[in-house]
Every structure is written in C-alpha cells, then in structure tokens.
Amino acid sequence: MGHLDAVIVGAGIAGLTAARLLQAQGRRVAVLEARDRVGGRVHTMRDGRVTDLGASWIHGIDGSPVAAAAEAFGMPTIEFTVGGYQPDSRPIAYHGPDGRRLSVGEAAQFVADIHELDAALVEVIAASAPDASYRDVTEQAMAARMRDEDRAQRVREFLEHRAEEQYGVWIEDLAAHGLDDDSIDGDEVVFPRGYDELAARLAEGLDVRLGHVVTRVAWADGAQVSTAGGQFTADAVVLTVPVGVLKSGAVEIVPALPAVNAAALARLEMNAFEKVILRFPESFWDEGVYAIRQQGAEGRWWHSWYDLTPLHGEPTLLTFAAGPAARATREWEDARVAADVMRQLRRLFGEGIPEPVSVHRTAWQDDPFSRGSYAFMTVGSTTADHDDLAEPIGDVLHIAGEATWTDDPATVPGAMLSGHRAAERVLGREIPIELLWTGA
C-alpha cells in the first residue's frame, strides 16, 4: 500500500484510539494486530453468554473519556461500584476468620480501621524512601496508629488483598507509590453487552491487519515495521504492545530504546492476575450484596467474590487468582481451581451449597501477546516511569498503552488517553479526544 503516515502496532484501545484520531485528521494509517481480533486485553467471550475476560469496569465514570465514548456509542452500562477494592461504598458481606458473617457493628469497626490507616498512609508514602515497598509504608503507618494486634492483622490482610486485586502483585513487590492512582471518581460501571463493543466501534473504518505479528521496529530514519508478511514503512510508528511483550524481546527495536525509556521499562513489570467465573443453578449467598469477603488465613488466596448475577442474568460469582495465587495455580486444571474455590465458599455457606454448572478461568500469563494482565510499579519505580516510557523517540517512535499513563495506569481510560497523546505527538498539535466518538 506504499509509504504511510503512521503505522500503529496493536489494535487494543490505545492503538485504535491513536489510529482513529490520526485518520480523522487525514493521515494514512494502518493498524497491525497479532491476534485474530481487535481489543487486545479488552476481550469478551460469547458462548451463548457474554463474559468479559479482560477489562470489566470503568473505575469511575466522572470525567472518563471511556464513559463518554460508551455513551456516544450507545453501550448500556450497569452500576457496580466495588471494582476498586473499596472497603465499603456498596453492600459488602464480611466474614471473619471463623467463617461467621460479621455483625453490622463489627464490619463498621473494620471499615473505620481501614479508613484511618488510609488517611495516615498519605504522609507516610510521601516521605518514603525511593526503594520502599507498599508493605514498608503500610507497616509504618500501622505501627503508628494501631495498637490492637487482631484488628491490625485484619487491616494488614485487607491491604495485602488490595495490592493483589488492584495490581496482581504481592504487597512486598509493589512500589510504595504503586497505588497513588488508586482513586475512584464517580460510580463504577460494567457492560452487560460486553466491553469489546468499545473496541469494535473504535475500529470501524480503520485499516486493521489482523494476524500481523510484528517482529521488528526500526526508527532511526523513518519507521520500518517488519512482520512475517512483509515490511511497512511510515513517517511514524505508535507501538502499543504490553510491557510484558516489550520486555520479552519478541519485538526487536532498532536502535535500542534510549536510556530514559529503557530505564523506565526496566522498573515496570507485568502482573499475574486471572479471573475465575463460576455460574450456579441457584444463589446461596446473601441477597443485595455486591461482594463477599472473608478474613483470616483461609482467605490467603480466595478472599473476595463479586456477585455478577444482575449482569449475567443467572447466579454468577467472580473471584480473582491474583499475584501469588495466580502464579501458584498457573498449571492447575480448571477443576482443581474450582474445587479449591468451592472449599472456601463451603466454609462460609455450608456443605450443602450446589456445585457450579460452569467454570471459566483466564490465562493472560500464558498469552504470548500480553504475557500478563497489566503492568505494575516494582520497588524502586516512581510514578514518572509511566511518562518516561512514553517519551518520544527520534520524533518517529511513540510508545503508548495503559502502562504509559501516569494518572490512571492499568486501566482502559489510561490506554485511551495514551493513544490520544501519541496521536497529538505524531500530528505535532493538540486535538480534542472527543473526535473519537464525534468524528468531527
């Protein structure tokens, strides 16, 4: 097709955003996607049911470009404000270490302890050493605030689980500033028709080449992008592959990344975070709750379940194998994982609860085109690493994706905003992100 204005590597939300905005400005663009579908880590399984295997939530719709795009594209949503691992916000059934559901007063005390600790964490994190972990700062804050060891242990567990559910990583491996972006503005929502509808709408009218596995990107004299099917040349390239793929060497970058980008990449890592979706013939859990959570040692792996029944129209619970649990169960058969999850549910609800009628588990760790679910900040990383990874390279190569957006990494809005930024850098001027859904 001849020389292009830009080649976009990856048809996830970041790549589709960049391509759509550039094309809207009259640029000749091609999107090269290794998979046989668009969306990247926004992936919906449709097997008679609609199940989001990757991204599920918009974590706060206020000011979110994804929320605005979804509304413009006519995508229905359901409010489900609990995806940010909030301790309260919506009805949550807490169970103590003995399996008994906590009373209203006990749950309120536990939540109050968490809020007190979170308030203290702000100053502790701000004053933390460059090599401090999230474990270091939370322990320091607890030592100054919490005298009751049993209550402190319950909060400690919550903080461990929050690190795992937010970033799919053990608390000691997450940078002290790793949850600085952990804030929710407005309600959270999910998509009953599937999140991949967003990717499909963004891809409309674009030249997307599926099954094109990019093996090399050269940027010293214009862009040359190599695939098994041939080479593409352009004035610029926007590279949106996940951090796990960038670090694997599967895509050779020639010349190698400059020091600022390379150093930032070295301090970011891909996580281990898998969904386990269980569907049942009938509900056996408490009505009207958004989530079920258990405290204590039995909740080391399986501690939180989310009621997706309103979303799916049949009794459904979602839990996560996050961090250590995801790595330890990576080679397990689905039946073994389900049995392990059910053992914990039977602790809480009794031996008489039914077996699930179906179980589905994701395997993002083993996906060669993602190598994990999303990126996190390792110990020694700073929030600036997100922006540094995206620093333009020779005015030719632009790296985008959820890991490159400082204010809201590891999210679909972060990916979209990074794609918008990349498009503006290619153009050399600002353009409104609203062009994604207005077209003019």
Side-chain angles (χ1 to χ4, degrees), residues 376-398:
F376 69 93
M377 294 167 54
T378 62
V379 174
S381 179
T382 70
T383 52
D385 287 332
H386 299 294
D387 281 334
D388 287 348
L389 179 58
E391 188 67 22
I393 301 167
D395 290 326
V396 173
L397 175 57
H398 304 270

PDB file of all heavy atoms in Angstrom, residues 376-398:
ATOM      1  N   PHE A 376       2.687  -3.131  36.607  1.00  0.00           N
ATOM      2  CA  PHE A 376       2.745  -2.521  37.929  1.00  0.00           C
ATOM      3  C   PHE A 376       4.141  -1.943  38.164  1.00  0.00           C
ATOM      4  O   PHE A 376       5.099  -2.275  37.453  1.00  0.00           O
ATOM      5  CB  PHE A 376       2.383  -3.527  39.029  1.00  0.00           C
ATOM      6  CG  PHE A 376       3.406  -4.621  39.239  1.00  0.00           C
ATOM      7  CD1 PHE A 376       4.419  -4.491  40.179  1.00  0.00           C
ATOM      8  CD2 PHE A 376       3.330  -5.805  38.503  1.00  0.00           C
ATOM      9  CE1 PHE A 376       5.352  -5.503  40.373  1.00  0.00           C
ATOM     10  CE2 PHE A 376       4.256  -6.822  38.695  1.00  0.00           C
ATOM     11  CZ  PHE A 376       5.276  -6.670  39.636  1.00  0.00           C
ATOM     12  N   MET A 377       4.241  -1.084  39.169  1.00  0.00           N
ATOM     13  CA  MET A 377       5.499  -0.431  39.523  1.00  0.00           C
ATOM     14  C   MET A 377       6.262  -1.308  40.508  1.00  0.00           C
ATOM     15  O   MET A 377       5.789  -1.540  41.615  1.00  0.00           O
ATOM     16  CB  MET A 377       5.224   0.942  40.148  1.00  0.00           C
ATOM     17  CG  MET A 377       4.603   1.944  39.203  1.00  0.00           C
ATOM     18  SD  MET A 377       3.960   3.405  40.091  1.00  0.00           S
ATOM     19  CE  MET A 377       5.413   3.929  41.015  1.00  0.00           C
ATOM     20  N   THR A 378       7.423  -1.787  40.125  1.00  0.00           N
ATOM     21  CA  THR A 378       8.233  -2.578  41.039  1.00  0.00           C
ATOM     22  C   THR A 378       8.901  -1.661  42.064  1.00  0.00           C
ATOM     23  O   THR A 378       8.934  -0.441  41.909  1.00  0.00           O
ATOM     24  CB  THR A 378       9.317  -3.362  40.283  1.00  0.00           C
ATOM     25  OG1 THR A 378      10.196  -2.437  39.642  1.00  0.00           O
ATOM     26  CG2 THR A 378       8.698  -4.279  39.237  1.00  0.00           C
ATOM     27  N   VAL A 379       9.440  -2.269  43.127  1.00  0.00           N
ATOM     28  CA  VAL A 379      10.134  -1.497  44.149  1.00  0.00           C
ATOM     29  C   VAL A 379      11.293  -0.738  43.500  1.00  0.00           C
ATOM     30  O   VAL A 379      12.090  -1.305  42.750  1.00  0.00           O
ATOM     31  CB  VAL A 379      10.640  -2.428  45.264  1.00  0.00           C
ATOM     32  CG1 VAL A 379      11.504  -1.651  46.255  1.00  0.00           C
ATOM     33  CG2 VAL A 379       9.459  -3.077  45.981  1.00  0.00           C
ATOM     34  N   GLY A 380      11.357   0.556  43.782  1.00  0.00           N
ATOM     35  CA  GLY A 380      12.350   1.423  43.161  1.00  0.00           C
ATOM     36  C   GLY A 380      11.800   2.244  42.020  1.00  0.00           C
ATOM     37  O   GLY A 380      12.434   3.198  41.562  1.00  0.00           O
ATOM     38  N   SER A 381      10.611   1.901  41.565  1.00  0.00           N
ATOM     39  CA  SER A 381       9.966   2.662  40.497  1.00  0.00           C
ATOM     40  C   SER A 381       9.316   3.917  41.061  1.00  0.00           C
ATOM     41  O   SER A 381       8.979   3.990  42.241  1.00  0.00           O
ATOM     42  CB  SER A 381       8.909   1.788  39.816  1.00  0.00           C
ATOM     43  OG  SER A 381       8.245   2.494  38.792  1.00  0.00           O
ATOM     44  N   THR A 382       9.141   4.905  40.212  1.00  0.00           N
ATOM     45  CA  THR A 382       8.401   6.110  40.576  1.00  0.00           C
ATOM     46  C   THR A 382       7.286   6.314  39.566  1.00  0.00           C
ATOM     47  O   THR A 382       7.319   5.757  38.462  1.00  0.00           O
ATOM     48  CB  THR A 382       9.307   7.359  40.598  1.00  0.00           C
ATOM     49  OG1 THR A 382       9.682   7.684  39.242  1.00  0.00           O
ATOM     50  CG2 THR A 382      10.546   7.125  41.433  1.00  0.00           C
ATOM     51  N   THR A 383       6.318   7.144  39.917  1.00  0.00           N
ATOM     52  CA  THR A 383       5.201   7.385  39.006  1.00  0.00           C
ATOM     53  C   THR A 383       5.666   7.996  37.689  1.00  0.00           C
ATOM     54  O   THR A 383       5.002   7.831  36.659  1.00  0.00           O
ATOM     55  CB  THR A 383       4.152   8.300  39.662  1.00  0.00           C
ATOM     56  OG1 THR A 383       4.803   9.471  40.164  1.00  0.00           O
ATOM     57  CG2 THR A 383       3.458   7.596  40.820  1.00  0.00           C
ATOM     58  N   ALA A 384       6.807   8.657  37.702  1.00  0.00           N
ATOM     59  CA  ALA A 384       7.328   9.269  36.469  1.00  0.00           C
ATOM     60  C   ALA A 384       7.699   8.224  35.428  1.00  0.00           C
ATOM     61  O   ALA A 384       7.800   8.549  34.234  1.00  0.00           O
ATOM     62  CB  ALA A 384       8.547  10.132  36.789  1.00  0.00           C
ATOM     63  N   ASP A 385       7.906   6.979  35.849  1.00  0.00           N
ATOM     64  CA  ASP A 385       8.294   5.941  34.895  1.00  0.00           C
ATOM     65  C   ASP A 385       7.237   5.731  33.817  1.00  0.00           C
ATOM     66  O   ASP A 385       7.567   5.374  32.683  1.00  0.00           O
ATOM     67  CB  ASP A 385       8.564   4.619  35.622  1.00  0.00           C
ATOM     68  CG  ASP A 385       9.873   4.646  36.394  1.00  0.00           C
ATOM     69  OD1 ASP A 385      10.784   5.390  35.989  1.00  0.00           O
ATOM     70  OD2 ASP A 385       9.979   3.938  37.415  1.00  0.00           O
ATOM     71  N   HIS A 386       5.975   5.936  34.146  1.00  0.00           N
ATOM     72  CA  HIS A 386       4.923   5.775  33.143  1.00  0.00           C
ATOM     73  C   HIS A 386       5.119   6.765  31.999  1.00  0.00           C
ATOM     74  O   HIS A 386       5.100   6.396  30.822  1.00  0.00           O
ATOM     75  CB  HIS A 386       3.542   5.976  33.784  1.00  0.00           C
ATOM     76  CG  HIS A 386       3.220   5.004  34.872  1.00  0.00           C
ATOM     77  ND1 HIS A 386       3.063   3.661  34.639  1.00  0.00           N
ATOM     78  CD2 HIS A 386       3.014   5.186  36.199  1.00  0.00           C
ATOM     79  CE1 HIS A 386       2.770   3.052  35.782  1.00  0.00           C
ATOM     80  NE2 HIS A 386       2.740   3.963  36.731  1.00  0.00           N
ATOM     81  N   ASP A 387       5.310   8.028  32.359  1.00  0.00           N
ATOM     82  CA  ASP A 387       5.509   9.055  31.334  1.00  0.00           C
ATOM     83  C   ASP A 387       6.847   8.884  30.616  1.00  0.00           C
ATOM     84  O   ASP A 387       6.944   9.108  29.405  1.00  0.00           O
ATOM     85  CB  ASP A 387       5.447  10.448  31.962  1.00  0.00           C
ATOM     86  CG  ASP A 387       4.020  10.905  32.213  1.00  0.00           C
ATOM     87  OD1 ASP A 387       3.112  10.424  31.505  1.00  0.00           O
ATOM     88  OD2 ASP A 387       3.810  11.740  33.109  1.00  0.00           O
ATOM     89  N   ASP A 388       7.878   8.489  31.371  1.00  0.00           N
ATOM     90  CA  ASP A 388       9.199   8.330  30.758  1.00  0.00           C
ATOM     91  C   ASP A 388       9.205   7.228  29.702  1.00  0.00           C
ATOM     92  O   ASP A 388       9.902   7.336  28.686  1.00  0.00           O
ATOM     93  CB  ASP A 388      10.250   8.030  31.829  1.00  0.00           C
ATOM     94  CG  ASP A 388      10.592   9.257  32.666  1.00  0.00           C
ATOM     95  OD1 ASP A 388      10.197  10.368  32.267  1.00  0.00           O
ATOM     96  OD2 ASP A 388      11.233   9.091  33.719  1.00  0.00           O
ATOM     97  N   LEU A 389       8.446   6.173  29.942  1.00  0.00           N
ATOM     98  CA  LEU A 389       8.364   5.103  28.949  1.00  0.00           C
ATOM     99  C   LEU A 389       7.797   5.629  27.635  1.00  0.00           C
ATOM    100  O   LEU A 389       8.163   5.166  26.550  1.00  0.00           O
ATOM    101  CB  LEU A 389       7.499   3.955  29.481  1.00  0.00           C
ATOM    102  CG  LEU A 389       7.278   2.764  28.553  1.00  0.00           C
ATOM    103  CD1 LEU A 389       8.603   2.133  28.135  1.00  0.00           C
ATOM    104  CD2 LEU A 389       6.373   1.725  29.210  1.00  0.00           C
ATOM    105  N   ALA A 390       6.905   6.613  27.727  1.00  0.00           N
ATOM    106  CA  ALA A 390       6.251   7.169  26.538  1.00  0.00           C
ATOM    107  C   ALA A 390       6.989   8.352  25.929  1.00  0.00           C
ATOM    108  O   ALA A 390       6.496   8.962  24.972  1.00  0.00           O
ATOM    109  CB  ALA A 390       4.831   7.596  26.895  1.00  0.00           C
ATOM    110  N   GLU A 391       8.156   8.695  26.451  1.00  0.00           N
ATOM    111  CA  GLU A 391       8.906   9.820  25.898  1.00  0.00           C
ATOM    112  C   GLU A 391       9.166   9.573  24.409  1.00  0.00           C
ATOM    113  O   GLU A 391       9.663   8.519  24.010  1.00  0.00           O
ATOM    114  CB  GLU A 391      10.233   9.964  26.646  1.00  0.00           C
ATOM    115  CG  GLU A 391      11.018  11.214  26.305  1.00  0.00           C
ATOM    116  CD  GLU A 391      10.348  12.497  26.767  1.00  0.00           C
ATOM    117  OE1 GLU A 391       9.515  12.457  27.695  1.00  0.00           O
ATOM    118  OE2 GLU A 391      10.662  13.555  26.163  1.00  0.00           O
ATOM    119  N   PRO A 392       8.814  10.535  23.522  1.00  0.00           N
ATOM    120  CA  PRO A 392       9.005  10.325  22.081  1.00  0.00           C
ATOM    121  C   PRO A 392      10.447   9.999  21.736  1.00  0.00           C
ATOM    122  O   PRO A 392      11.388  10.539  22.331  1.00  0.00           O
ATOM    123  CB  PRO A 392       8.571  11.663  21.481  1.00  0.00           C
ATOM    124  CG  PRO A 392       7.643  12.252  22.484  1.00  0.00           C
ATOM    125  CD  PRO A 392       8.175  11.821  23.818  1.00  0.00           C
ATOM    126  N   ILE A 393      10.617   9.124  20.769  1.00  0.00           N
ATOM    127  CA  ILE A 393      11.945   8.637  20.383  1.00  0.00           C
ATOM    128  C   ILE A 393      12.225   9.072  18.946  1.00  0.00           C
ATOM    129  O   ILE A 393      11.597   8.587  17.998  1.00  0.00           O
ATOM    130  CB  ILE A 393      12.018   7.111  20.526  1.00  0.00           C
ATOM    131  CG1 ILE A 393      11.727   6.705  21.979  1.00  0.00           C
ATOM    132  CG2 ILE A 393      13.367   6.578  20.065  1.00  0.00           C
ATOM    133  CD1 ILE A 393      11.467   5.234  22.168  1.00  0.00           C
ATOM    134  N   GLY A 394      13.151  10.002  18.801  1.00  0.00           N
ATOM    135  CA  GLY A 394      13.544  10.485  17.484  1.00  0.00           C
ATOM    136  C   GLY A 394      12.416  11.077  16.671  1.00  0.00           C
ATOM    137  O   GLY A 394      12.480  11.107  15.433  1.00  0.00           O
ATOM    138  N   ASP A 395      11.352  11.543  17.343  1.00  0.00           N
ATOM    139  CA  ASP A 395      10.174  12.084  16.656  1.00  0.00           C
ATOM    140  C   ASP A 395       9.569  11.074  15.679  1.00  0.00           C
ATOM    141  O   ASP A 395       8.838  11.452  14.758  1.00  0.00           O
ATOM    142  CB  ASP A 395      10.511  13.377  15.906  1.00  0.00           C
ATOM    143  CG  ASP A 395      10.779  14.538  16.852  1.00  0.00           C
ATOM    144  OD1 ASP A 395      10.120  14.574  17.912  1.00  0.00           O
ATOM    145  OD2 ASP A 395      11.638  15.373  16.539  1.00  0.00           O
ATOM    146  N   VAL A 396       9.898   9.797  15.883  1.00  0.00           N
ATOM    147  CA  VAL A 396       9.399   8.743  14.999  1.00  0.00           C
ATOM    148  C   VAL A 396       8.638   7.683  15.790  1.00  0.00           C
ATOM    149  O   VAL A 396       7.523   7.302  15.428  1.00  0.00           O
ATOM    150  CB  VAL A 396      10.563   8.077  14.228  1.00  0.00           C
ATOM    151  CG1 VAL A 396      10.067   6.862  13.437  1.00  0.00           C
ATOM    152  CG2 VAL A 396      11.235   9.076  13.308  1.00  0.00           C
ATOM    153  N   LEU A 397       9.233   7.215  16.873  1.00  0.00           N
ATOM    154  CA  LEU A 397       8.654   6.117  17.642  1.00  0.00           C
ATOM    155  C   LEU A 397       7.944   6.658  18.878  1.00  0.00           C
ATOM    156  O   LEU A 397       8.536   7.409  19.668  1.00  0.00           O
ATOM    157  CB  LEU A 397       9.749   5.127  18.056  1.00  0.00           C
ATOM    158  CG  LEU A 397       9.335   3.974  18.981  1.00  0.00           C
ATOM    159  CD1 LEU A 397       8.217   3.139  18.365  1.00  0.00           C
ATOM    160  CD2 LEU A 397      10.551   3.097  19.303  1.00  0.00           C
ATOM    161  N   HIS A 398       6.686   6.255  19.046  1.00  0.00           N
ATOM    162  CA  HIS A 398       5.873   6.684  20.175  1.00  0.00           C
ATOM    163  C   HIS A 398       5.311   5.434  20.847  1.00  0.00           C
ATOM    164  O   HIS A 398       4.627   4.633  20.199  1.00  0.00           O
ATOM    165  CB  HIS A 398       4.741   7.594  19.716  1.00  0.00           C
ATOM    166  CG  HIS A 398       5.220   8.791  18.952  1.00  0.00           C
ATOM    167  ND1 HIS A 398       5.539   9.987  19.549  1.00  0.00           N
ATOM    168  CD2 HIS A 398       5.461   8.952  17.616  1.00  0.00           C
ATOM    169  CE1 HIS A 398       5.939  10.847  18.624  1.00  0.00           C
ATOM    170  NE2 HIS A 398       5.903  10.247  17.445  1.00  0.00           N
TER     171      HIS A 398
END
